[in-house]
Amino acid sequence: MAAFAEPHFSAWTQTVVNNVTVVDKVPAEMLHMVDAHWYQFPPMNPLWHSILGFAIFILGVISILGNGCVIYIFTNTKALRTPSNLLVVNLAFSDFLMMFTMAPPMVINCWHETWVFGPFACELYAMFGSLFGCASIWTMTMIAFDRYNVIVKGLSAKPMTNNGALLRILGIWAFALLWTLAPLFGWNRYVPEGNMTACGTDYLSQDFTSRSYILIYSGFVYYLPLFSIIYSYIYIIQVW
C-alpha cells in the first residue's frame, strides 16, 4: 500500500514546493468570482479531498433517507397530522432538500478537487444552501415558540391550528427566499470558497454592500433565532 501511496503524496508535495495555490484548478470562467484571500493557500492534500467527499456522501445518504422517512411517516399517518407536527415535517423537508442539493455536487467536486459546474451552478448551490439553512433555522425557532406556548402558558395558551401552522411555514419560506435571492440581485454575491469545492456567501469583501448584507443577515437569520430559542427553552426548563 505504501508503494502506491508514495507517488501520489510526492506529487502533492511537489505542487506545494512549486507555490501552486488552491485556486489554480478553478475553471478560468470562475476566476473573477474568487477573492484574492484564497490565493495564499496551497492545494489541499488529495487524501483530505477523498475523506471529505466520503464523509459528505455518508452524511448525505443518512440525511436523505432519515428525513425522507420522517416526511413519509408523518404525511401518511393521520394521527400525526397535528399543527405542531406540520412544523416538524417542514424541518425534515428543508433538511432533506439541503442534503439533496448540497451533497451530490460536493462529492463530485471533491473527486475533481475543485468546483467543476460553472459560475451559475455555483450561485445556485450557494443560494440553495442559504435558503434551506434559513428555513430550517426559523422552523426550529417556530417549534421552540410552540413548545413555549404549550408548556409555559399551559391551558391559558391559544392552541395553534393547522391554518396557523401553514401560515407560519409560508412565512418562513417567504422570509428565507427574500434573504437568499438578494445576493443574486446585487446585495452581496455568491462565490467559491475554502478549498474551492463549494460556494457560499461572500464574507470577505470589505465594501459596504457586502458587509451590510453579512451583518444584517447574521442578525435576522442567526442571532435572532438563537436568542429566541434560548429564551423559549430557559422558561420551558424552569417550568419542568
Side-chain angles (χ1 to χ4, degrees):
M1 181 177 294
F4 289 99
E6 184 177 354
H8 191 52
F9 179 78
S10 297
W12 169 76
T13 305
Q14 188 64 35
T15 63
V16 176
V17 172
N18 291 337
N19 294 320
V20 176
T21 74
V22 71
V23 182
D24 285 13
K25 285 190 175 183
V26 175
E29 67 271 19
M30 294 187 62
L31 290 177
H32 70 281
M33 303 171 68
V34 180
D35 191 276
H37 171 80
W38 301 113
Y39 283 86
Q40 64 182 302
F41 298 102
M44 193 166 70
N45 189 323
L47 175 63
W48 287 110
H49 279 291
S50 300
I51 293 173
L52 178 61
F54 179 73
I56 294 296
F57 174 78
I58 296 299
L59 291 174
V61 170
I62 293 173
S63 178
I64 290 171
L65 292 178
N67 287 298
C69 287
V70 171
I71 295 169
Y72 177 81
I73 292 170
F74 275 76
T75 54
N76 287 277
T77 306
K78 190 174 182 179
L80 295 176
R81 297 175 194 166
T82 64
S84 295
N85 284 343
L86 286 176
L87 294 174
V88 175
V89 172
N90 189 60
L91 178 60
F93 180 66
S94 61
D95 287 345
F96 174 90
L97 290 177
M98 168 73 83
M99 293 307 294
F100 185 78
T101 56
M102 298 289 102
M106 184 67 168
V107 172
I108 295 171
N109 288 326
C110 285
W111 174 263
H112 291 280
E113 300 179 9
T114 192
W115 184 268
V116 295
F117 295 107
F120 182 65
C122 175
E123 291 181 319
L124 283 183
Y125 179 92
M127 190 200 78
F128 285 148
S130 183
L131 173 65
F132 302 135
C134 179
S136 293
I137 289 171
W138 271 103
T139 300
M140 288 188 287
T141 306
M142 290 300 168
I143 292 173
F145 284 156
D146 178 57
R147 295 300 86 202
Y148 173 87
N149 189 51
V150 171
I151 296 173
V152 177
K153 294 187 177 181
L155 296 176
S156 64
K158 183 180 179 180
M160 182 169 59
T161 63
N162 282 332
N163 287 338
L166 291 174
L167 187 61
R168 287 170 172 79
I169 291 171
L170 180 62
I172 287 169
W173 285 103
F175 182 79
L177 192 62
L178 178 68
W179 279 109
T180 54
L181 283 177
L184 296 180
F185 292 92
W187 193 16
N188 203 285
R189 61 177 185 154
Y190 293 123
V191 294
E193 61 178 354
N195 60 8
M196 301 294 121
T197 56
C199 296
T201 307
D202 182 7
Y203 48 82
L204 292 172
S205 295
Q206 299 298 313
D207 58 282
F208 174 78
T209 301
S210 298
R211 292 179 67 85
S212 63
Y213 177 84
I214 292 297
L215 290 172
I216 299 174
Y217 178 88
S218 63
F220 281 99
V221 181
Y222 178 74
Y223 290 108
L224 181 59
L226 174 64
F227 293 134
S228 298
I229 291 172
I230 291 174
Y231 173 86
S232 298
Y233 281 103
I234 285 176
Y235 281 94
I236 289 172
I237 293 172
Q238 286 179 348
V239 170
W240 284 355

